[in-house]
Amino acid sequence: MKAKKTNFTLRVTIPALTLLLGTGLLVAGGPQIPVEQNFTRVWQTPEGEATDEIPTPVTSSDCVFLNEPQRFTEDRDRGYALRTAAMNRVVKWTVSINEPSVAGGDPTLIPRRNFVDDEIFTRMAAANIQSAPLTADEEFLRRVTLDLTGRIPSAADVTDFLADSNSFKRDNVVDALIASPEFTDKWTLFFGDLYQNNVNSQHVSRGIQGRDAFYVYLRDSIAQNKPYDVMAREMITASGDPWLVGQANWPVGNTISMGPAQDTYDGAAVDLSSMFMGINTVDCLLCHDGARHLEQVNLWAATQTRRNMWGLAAYFSRTVMMRPAQTAMTGIVVSDNTTSTVDYRLNTTNGNRTPRQPIGGVNSIAPRYPFSGSTDPGVGVNNGETYREAIARQITEDLQFSRAAVNYIWERMMGEAFVSPSYAFDLSRLDPNNPPPAPWTLQPTNPQLLDRLARDFQSNGYNIRRLIGLIAKSSAYQLSSSYPGTWQPGYVPYYARKFVRRLDSEEIHDAVVKATALTQSYTFAAPSVLQPTAWAGQFPDTQEPRSNGAVAQFLNVLGRGDRDLNPRRYDGSVLQGLTMLNNTFVTNRSRASGSTPTAVTTLLQQTSDPETIIHRLYLNTLSRRATQAEIDAVMPSFQQLGNNVAAEDLQWVLLNRLPFLFNY
Amino acid sequence: MKSIVNRRVFFKVAATGVTGCLVSPMELFPQQQAPTLPQLSVQNTARNVIFVLLPGGPSHVDTFDLKVGAWTPANFTASTVNGVDWPSGLMPQLAQQLSLNRAAVLRSCLAPALVHNLLQTWAQIGRSPASVTGSIAPNVGSVVALEKETERVSNQPVPGFLSLNGGTTIAGPGYFPGRFSPFDVAPNANGITNITPTNVDLARFNRRYGILAAADAAHAGTSPISRKLEEMSDFYSSAYSMMNDTRVANAFRFTANTDGFRYGTGTAQTGFGNACLTARNVLQANLGVRYIQINLGGWDNHSNIYAGGANGQGGIYGPARQMDAGLANLISDLAALPGSRGTMLDDTLIVVRGEFGRTVGPLTGQAGRDHHFTFSTLIAGGGVRGGRAIGSTTADGAFVDNPGWSVGRPIYSEDIAATIYSAMGINYRTTRWDDPLLRGFQYVSTVGTSYVGEPIDELFV
């Protein structure tokens, strides 16, 4: 393969003797710096100080590994952060990579489709940064089909789109994809990840029945384009048997085992604030105040107290979850205790959190909204509301609820969130009209655009399809992933090109199946009520198909995680390489003669013209036509080995071509 | 003993993109100070680790902490080996290893809870999955693989952390990069799945691969996704090197009806025996693997724990006999192979444990045993002095009555993790500053200013 290792130039600016280079490049073998062809890496400080040559070989004693946390998949674009304990600060170091040039653009000349483009290209122009050009039709179609439906386009989709002379064809295809049933699959999977729907986790056992019911709830909600605030209120206030009431699996998922009931109230506060508000610091604050802990992490959280968060958790202090004693098995039934007079009690010394003890003579905390964006900050529950109805109302009124949702979806579509990690919002660093004091800066990459998108989402009925369509139709989304000139990590917040993502595990499965037209039906074992499916994008969790261990293993190797402690991953592994090269899931689909016909079988029956075969296999698999060079490269094998063998080989090659695994 | 200079405390590398404002010249960082570290000593006696997890929770009073009562089946053949009470009928081969001073038992282990999933993960990540860093914590094996990556030499193509029969119980690499994931293999006599071409012969595979390499090379430089491509391309290249390294294929292959049977039942292979045999072969081949986790389930004997009676195939007999043969042959074979500090057993720390123990005394109404807090851990090799037990439980096995080590409390998963790190020469009090929570990820976590895990140094003296 192409990963020839030759020397490249690696230069870094180093303060005195302290070499702080830690890179993912320092892999096996320690002393050798693995190297990539065609790139020059120039290390520089943010101030652009002069660089020094790194002494080579760099040894492990000079270096500390730079990890690539799974959320930060774009880190080679973003540069690296290095921290010195001596300086007790983090300095961002950047690496620039000289890439081959492509024709680029003055951002003021990029057509503006909607307000997304106004914000993106105005900001880019003001910073004097060049924009990547708009992407070509083939690339656009593959990109948007994957992003909106989780599948690759068919060969006919590609050729039809290329032949379409309608000047609004990109908008039209976005509308068509958003209206397609596969759109529901893709975004049901997305929300299933967000709300962590599974059969078992460390703390929760929903059972197959609960998992199914939650899946069906999410699927139906997406299919009906239910307003997102309605979804949130339904989940937060859900009551009943979660085997029957799908949304009741959200509160069941809040359960924290091995501790007093307050641990589970805290679990609900954490899930509520991270999943719906993008605020993960509540987890910290439920053990200790922000002061003296979070000053340098989160400006808002530093001002918050544990008591404030108890006020948030108190909204869940009258939620009752129990498995009823009766003969028929059910899930853990959720209800509200409407007669209780007890709130969140400060009387624990064990469990998963630091002790909760009376403060200033107060031994019980009443609900009180801790976030700033409510219309009635500091207020708790209105007359006639249950506690959970109150918190559901208050968070869905809060602009932050809208910001968090927009940020999640923007990240999914654009590859780079406004606020990253997307659950790490700092409420004191969001308002573009009220920036935080130095040295803090506004947190989002584009505060104005996040604000506008959030208000737009809020004032248009929390319409998920509308939001996704707005993004997909923007020129910003449709930029090429190639960049004119030298790409700088500092360009990332400007979205000056499209960012690349590796496909989801399920997307890879479905792409292999769709490209080769060899489907198999997976059944869901009893007591599941779900219909068999051929598409991983329709699996209700990330452990299916339990009926086919080999395929489940294929999906696991590609990093789908477990919606619990093992998050979805996008980084590679040797096992992934071996799997794509040799797993019969892939190789059986490259055969012309198997028990079931594949796309290759059918194609060979339809034509004997090698060039047609080559084009079709490229269209089927990589969703584009072959270049002349690509045709010339494989033509000899068609001539020497015959169509059957050459076509099988080519199908296998295309499934293993690197671009197949990526959306770009 | 190796003295650790805490160089890591001085220079740390943080993950990028923490707040999304990377053009800022200075990014603030949590100033939470790590506790002041005393000069730390680690054992540094082991080169490799084999961690055997027994999901389900073996009955300690029927295995490593035998308590004899009216319920004990006669074919357990209760005996005392080197002063340790032992079911020599149930686990005869391990009895022999114990008598040869090759294994020790920690009988004062305590589980903090009795939930399978939670405690299985706890055992593997050395901390509560519900704790602050629980959600990002890597498997101890991923930490060892990362720490030992710098010792990798060329010609070692296999990832540092190998998982055999990991199934769905195996804990992942947490926030560490994917290359420190468990390399998960279902061992069998024919070798690793997917390491040999399928449907085509090697010649045709190589021809295909040549076309592929040429195609992606032509693509390089102009590809819009070249950089991400490179990373994946490296993994493809490694995969290809592994396929073409006969040592790899050979190490994962074995002869079913000789070695396979010996590690199995004598007349058949077992999944666990195959894993133990593969572990031996892979370590012997020195392919870069430093930590191997093997899972052996079947211990959740709520009912009919002694099923099968005299023949003893059901209940606890199945997993216990698989374990006995697989593990004893592994220990004995390693003890016969030359290592860098004596034998390969001396180089290899073997840790065998479940997530918790089971109820004691007479059986339940279901003729089984339910979940219980006390449990035992078997430890062998890697500098551990065998042939003895450390700590003890009350006469019925229900409570720890003597912790048996200097810290003076029962042994937790955190202590076992610290022991593994110490044996491997890893500073178990390392705090990494590259975690996505920006909190500092501690190999052994702290509560307040106290570390909650300590190495059991008594094992090594």
Side-chain angles (χ1 to χ4, degrees), chain A residues 308-338:
Chain A
N308 289 357
M309 297 306 128
W310 283 337
L312 180 64
Y315 286 96
F316 299 95
S317 62
R318 293 187 184 173
T319 311
V320 181
M321 290 195 274
M322 60 196 308
R323 208 184 284 277
Q326 58 186 61
T327 40
M329 279 290 285
T330 71
I332 297 165
V333 175
V334 186
S335 61
D336 295 289
N337 184 337
T338 51

Side-chain angles (χ1 to χ4, degrees), chain A residues 1-3 5 18 20 22 24 27-30 36 38-39 41 46-47 60 64-70 72-86 88-92 97 99-100 139 200-203 257-258 296-297 352 420-421 429 439-443 445 481-482 487 489-490 497 500-501 553 565-566 569 571-584 587-588 591 624 634 641 645 648-649 652-653 656-659 661-662 664, chain B residues 7 9-33 112-113 115 117-119 121-122 125 128-130 134-135 146 149-150 152-154 159 168 170-184 194-199 204-205 207-209 211-213 215-217 219-240 242-243 432-439:
Chain A
M1 204 150 281
K2 77 174 192 59
K5 308 225 163 166
T18 60
L20 294 175
V27 290
E36 293 96 48
N38 299 331
F39 303 113
R41 292 170 191 278
E47 295 83 10
S60 61
V64 182
F65 247 95
L66 177 75
N67 279 307
E68 299 132 24
Q70 49 90 22
F72 309 141
T73 52
E74 202 68 24
D75 55 6
R76 285 213 197 171
D77 280 329
R78 304 170 67 130
Y80 296 102
L82 305 173
R83 176 176 193 261
T84 73
N88 208 4
R89 63 170 193 155
V90 173
V91 182
K92 292 278 182 185
I97 298 159
E99 286 191 279
E139 247 176 49
N200 286 306
S201 63
Q202 300 296 318
H203 295 287
S257 55
M258 303 186 331
Q296 306 203 355
V297 176
N352 300 287
S420 179
R429 297 169 57 207
W440 293 94
T441 53
L442 285 169
Q443 186 185 28
T445 51
S481 45
S482 302
W487 176 257
R497 72 177 200 191
V500 169
R501 69 172 175 90
Q553 177 66 9
L565 294 182
N566 293 306
R569 305 180 70 99
D571 48 2
S573 69
V574 178
L575 214 48
Q576 289 177 11
L578 288 171
T579 296
M580 290 304 294
L581 293 172
N582 299 318
N583 192 303
T584 52
T587 57
N588 284 351
R591 289 190 299 192
R624 64 174 175 85
V634 292
L641 304 166
V645 171
E648 286 185 332
D649 286 353
W652 178 91
V653 164
N656 276 287
R657 287 290 299 272
L658 294 166
L661 298 177
F662 292 86
Y664 48 91
Chain B
R7 65 178 162 79
V9 178
F10 195 64
F11 300 128
K12 296 298 170 194
V13 181
T16 181
V18 162
T19 60
C21 54
L22 51 88
V23 286
S24 159
M26 186 168 119
E27 192 61 50
L28 298 172
F29 214 81
Q31 278 184 317
Q32 186 181 352
Q33 292 296 315
V115 184
N117 271 357
L118 192 75
L119 273 289
T121 304
W122 200 316
I125 66 177
S128 168
S135 61
L146 182 146
E149 194 66 8
T150 53
R152 181 180 291 273
V153 296
S154 61
T168 55
I170 186 91
Y175 78 96
F176 281 10
R179 61 185 175 280
F180 303 116
S181 299
F183 183 78
D184 198 15
N194 298 335
I195 202 173
T196 46
T198 50
N199 294 343
R204 187 166 172 199
F205 178 86
R207 188 179 73 233
R208 284 178 166 190
Y209 196 87
I211 299 171
L212 175 61
D216 274 339
H219 202 58
T222 56
S223 166
I225 58 172
S226 47
R227 270 165 293 127
K228 287 212 152 175
L229 231 120
E230 283 171 64
E231 289 174 344
M232 192 60 212
S233 174
D234 283 348
F235 289 117
Y236 266 104
S237 302
S238 305
Y240 186 65
M242 277 178 65
M243 290 180 66
R432 304 181 64 82
W433 292 101
D434 51 9
D435 63 298
L437 301 179
L438 292 182
R439 192 179 192 280

